[in-house]
PDB file of all heavy atoms in Angstrom:
ATOM      1  N   SER B 156      -0.670  11.791  -9.701  1.00 85.00           N
ATOM      2  CA  SER B 156      -1.781  12.737  -9.845  1.00 85.00           C
ATOM      3  C   SER B 156      -1.317  13.995 -10.557  1.00 85.00           C
ATOM      4  O   SER B 156      -2.037  14.556 -11.383  1.00 85.00           O
ATOM      5  CB  SER B 156      -2.372  13.075  -8.480  1.00 85.00           C
ATOM      6  OG  SER B 156      -1.432  13.798  -7.741  1.00 85.00           O
ATOM      7  N   ILE B 157      -0.059  14.444 -10.293  1.00 86.00           N
ATOM      8  CA  ILE B 157       0.386  15.652 -11.004  1.00 86.00           C
ATOM      9  C   ILE B 157       0.636  15.322 -12.482  1.00 86.00           C
ATOM     10  O   ILE B 157       0.352  16.126 -13.365  1.00 86.00           O
ATOM     11  CB  ILE B 157       1.622  16.297 -10.347  1.00 86.00           C
ATOM     12  CG1 ILE B 157       1.710  17.768 -10.787  1.00 86.00           C
ATOM     13  CG2 ILE B 157       2.910  15.608 -10.688  1.00 86.00           C
ATOM     14  CD1 ILE B 157       2.679  18.596  -9.971  1.00 86.00           C
ATOM     15  N   ILE B 158       1.089  14.104 -12.753  1.00 88.00           N
ATOM     16  CA  ILE B 158       1.275  13.707 -14.157  1.00 88.00           C
ATOM     17  C   ILE B 158      -0.081  13.679 -14.849  1.00 88.00           C
ATOM     18  O   ILE B 158      -0.253  14.219 -15.950  1.00 88.00           O
ATOM     19  CB  ILE B 158       1.990  12.341 -14.247  1.00 88.00           C
ATOM     20  CG1 ILE B 158       3.471  12.513 -13.876  1.00 88.00           C
ATOM     21  CG2 ILE B 158       1.861  11.743 -15.652  1.00 88.00           C
ATOM     22  CD1 ILE B 158       4.251  11.221 -13.784  1.00 88.00           C
ATOM     23  N   PHE B 159      -1.073  13.107 -14.167  1.00 89.00           N
ATOM     24  CA  PHE B 159      -2.431  13.060 -14.755  1.00 89.00           C
ATOM     25  C   PHE B 159      -2.963  14.479 -14.986  1.00 89.00           C
ATOM     26  O   PHE B 159      -3.428  14.817 -16.064  1.00 89.00           O
ATOM     27  CB  PHE B 159      -3.396  12.295 -13.848  1.00 89.00           C
ATOM     28  CG  PHE B 159      -4.830  12.458 -14.266  1.00 89.00           C
ATOM     29  CD1 PHE B 159      -5.320  11.741 -15.350  1.00 89.00           C
ATOM     30  CD2 PHE B 159      -5.668  13.373 -13.634  1.00 89.00           C
ATOM     31  CE1 PHE B 159      -6.636  11.919 -15.782  1.00 89.00           C
ATOM     32  CE2 PHE B 159      -6.972  13.555 -14.059  1.00 89.00           C
ATOM     33  CZ  PHE B 159      -7.454  12.835 -15.132  1.00 89.00           C
ATOM     34  N   SER B 160      -2.859  15.333 -13.952  1.00 88.00           N
ATOM     35  CA  SER B 160      -3.410  16.699 -14.056  1.00 88.00           C
ATOM     36  C   SER B 160      -2.715  17.493 -15.155  1.00 88.00           C
ATOM     37  O   SER B 160      -3.351  18.219 -15.914  1.00 88.00           O
ATOM     38  CB  SER B 160      -3.262  17.422 -12.713  1.00 88.00           C
ATOM     39  OG  SER B 160      -3.963  16.737 -11.709  1.00 88.00           O
ATOM     40  N   HIS B 161      -1.379  17.323 -15.243  1.00 89.00           N
ATOM     41  CA  HIS B 161      -0.625  18.059 -16.283  1.00 89.00           C
ATOM     42  C   HIS B 161      -1.031  17.566 -17.669  1.00 89.00           C
ATOM     43  O   HIS B 161      -1.294  18.365 -18.579  1.00 89.00           O
ATOM     44  CB  HIS B 161       0.873  17.881 -16.073  1.00 89.00           C
ATOM     45  CG  HIS B 161       1.674  18.447 -17.207  1.00 89.00           C
ATOM     46  ND1 HIS B 161       1.672  19.785 -17.508  1.00 89.00           N
ATOM     47  CD2 HIS B 161       2.447  17.852 -18.148  1.00 89.00           C
ATOM     48  CE1 HIS B 161       2.428  19.992 -18.573  1.00 89.00           C
ATOM     49  NE2 HIS B 161       2.904  18.837 -18.997  1.00 89.00           N
ATOM     50  N   LYS B 162      -1.136  16.245 -17.793  1.00 90.00           N
ATOM     51  CA  LYS B 162      -1.532  15.653 -19.090  1.00 90.00           C
ATOM     52  C   LYS B 162      -2.918  16.171 -19.474  1.00 90.00           C
ATOM     53  O   LYS B 162      -3.161  16.616 -20.586  1.00 90.00           O
ATOM     54  CB  LYS B 162      -1.548  14.127 -18.919  1.00 90.00           C
ATOM     55  CG  LYS B 162      -1.929  13.332 -20.134  1.00 90.00           C
ATOM     56  CD  LYS B 162      -1.749  11.829 -19.844  1.00 90.00           C
ATOM     57  CE  LYS B 162      -2.087  10.995 -21.064  1.00 90.00           C
ATOM     58  NZ  LYS B 162      -1.865   9.547 -20.834  1.00 90.00           N
ATOM     59  N   PHE B 163      -3.823  16.172 -18.512  1.00 92.00           N
ATOM     60  CA  PHE B 163      -5.213  16.571 -18.780  1.00 92.00           C
ATOM     61  C   PHE B 163      -5.285  18.054 -19.121  1.00 92.00           C
ATOM     62  O   PHE B 163      -5.998  18.460 -20.041  1.00 92.00           O
ATOM     63  CB  PHE B 163      -6.092  16.258 -17.567  1.00 92.00           C
ATOM     64  CG  PHE B 163      -7.550  16.234 -17.898  1.00 92.00           C
ATOM     65  CD1 PHE B 163      -8.165  15.041 -18.283  1.00 92.00           C
ATOM     66  CD2 PHE B 163      -8.312  17.385 -17.864  1.00 92.00           C
ATOM     67  CE1 PHE B 163      -9.509  15.012 -18.629  1.00 92.00           C
ATOM     68  CE2 PHE B 163      -9.657  17.362 -18.203  1.00 92.00           C
ATOM     69  CZ  PHE B 163     -10.255  16.179 -18.583  1.00 92.00           C
ATOM     70  N   ALA B 164      -4.506  18.865 -18.398  1.00 92.00           N
ATOM     71  CA  ALA B 164      -4.515  20.317 -18.633  1.00 92.00           C
ATOM     72  C   ALA B 164      -4.018  20.617 -20.048  1.00 92.00           C
ATOM     73  O   ALA B 164      -4.624  21.387 -20.791  1.00 92.00           O
ATOM     74  CB  ALA B 164      -3.632  21.018 -17.606  1.00 92.00           C
ATOM     75  N   GLN B 165      -2.924  19.950 -20.422  1.00 92.00           N
ATOM     76  CA  GLN B 165      -2.321  20.193 -21.743  1.00 92.00           C
ATOM     77  C   GLN B 165      -3.284  19.747 -22.852  1.00 92.00           C
ATOM     78  O   GLN B 165      -3.529  20.469 -23.822  1.00 92.00           O
ATOM     79  CB  GLN B 165      -1.003  19.422 -21.834  1.00 92.00           C
ATOM     80  CG  GLN B 165      -0.235  19.564 -23.114  1.00 92.00           C
ATOM     81  CD  GLN B 165       0.664  20.794 -23.156  1.00 92.00           C
ATOM     82  OE1 GLN B 165       0.882  21.465 -22.152  1.00 92.00           O
ATOM     83  NE2 GLN B 165       1.156  21.115 -24.347  1.00 92.00           N
TER      84      GLN B 165
ATOM     85  N   TRP Z 670       6.951  26.108 -17.228  1.00 94.00           N
ATOM     86  CA  TRP Z 670       6.806  24.639 -17.337  1.00 94.00           C
ATOM     87  C   TRP Z 670       7.494  24.129 -18.608  1.00 94.00           C
ATOM     88  O   TRP Z 670       8.322  23.218 -18.567  1.00 94.00           O
ATOM     89  CB  TRP Z 670       5.301  24.310 -17.367  1.00 94.00           C
ATOM     90  CG  TRP Z 670       4.972  22.851 -17.226  1.00 94.00           C
ATOM     91  CD1 TRP Z 670       5.287  21.836 -18.097  1.00 94.00           C
ATOM     92  CD2 TRP Z 670       4.276  22.235 -16.145  1.00 94.00           C
ATOM     93  NE1 TRP Z 670       4.823  20.651 -17.607  1.00 94.00           N
ATOM     94  CE2 TRP Z 670       4.187  20.862 -16.423  1.00 94.00           C
ATOM     95  CE3 TRP Z 670       3.701  22.724 -14.972  1.00 94.00           C
ATOM     96  CZ2 TRP Z 670       3.562  19.952 -15.562  1.00 94.00           C
ATOM     97  CZ3 TRP Z 670       3.084  21.807 -14.110  1.00 94.00           C
ATOM     98  CH2 TRP Z 670       3.021  20.447 -14.400  1.00 94.00           C
ATOM     99  N   ALA Z 784       7.696  15.947 -21.492  1.00 86.00           N
ATOM    100  CA  ALA Z 784       7.371  16.610 -20.215  1.00 86.00           C
ATOM    101  C   ALA Z 784       6.914  15.581 -19.186  1.00 86.00           C
ATOM    102  O   ALA Z 784       7.321  15.616 -18.019  1.00 86.00           O
ATOM    103  CB  ALA Z 784       6.281  17.651 -20.452  1.00 86.00           C
ATOM    104  N   LEU Z 785       6.091  14.610 -19.626  1.00 87.00           N
ATOM    105  CA  LEU Z 785       5.586  13.605 -18.674  1.00 87.00           C
ATOM    106  C   LEU Z 785       6.734  12.718 -18.182  1.00 87.00           C
ATOM    107  O   LEU Z 785       6.836  12.406 -16.999  1.00 87.00           O
ATOM    108  CB  LEU Z 785       4.488  12.762 -19.326  1.00 87.00           C
ATOM    109  CG  LEU Z 785       3.217  13.508 -19.755  1.00 87.00           C
ATOM    110  CD1 LEU Z 785       2.198  12.550 -20.361  1.00 87.00           C
ATOM    111  CD2 LEU Z 785       2.580  14.267 -18.589  1.00 87.00           C
ATOM    112  N   LEU Z 788       8.789  14.507 -15.674  1.00 86.00           N
ATOM    113  CA  LEU Z 788       8.111  14.530 -14.373  1.00 86.00           C
ATOM    114  C   LEU Z 788       8.313  13.180 -13.679  1.00 86.00           C
ATOM    115  O   LEU Z 788       8.646  13.103 -12.503  1.00 86.00           O
ATOM    116  CB  LEU Z 788       6.603  14.761 -14.576  1.00 86.00           C
ATOM    117  CG  LEU Z 788       6.075  16.181 -14.434  1.00 86.00           C
ATOM    118  CD1 LEU Z 788       4.592  16.256 -14.777  1.00 86.00           C
ATOM    119  CD2 LEU Z 788       6.297  16.699 -13.020  1.00 86.00           C
TER     120      LEU Z 788
END
Side-chain angles (χ1 to χ4, degrees):
Chain B
S156 67
I157 201 166
I158 287 174
F159 169 78
S160 299
H161 172 64
K162 180 174 182 177
F163 198 91
Q165 181 85 11
Chain Z
W670 191 295
L785 297 181
L788 263 175

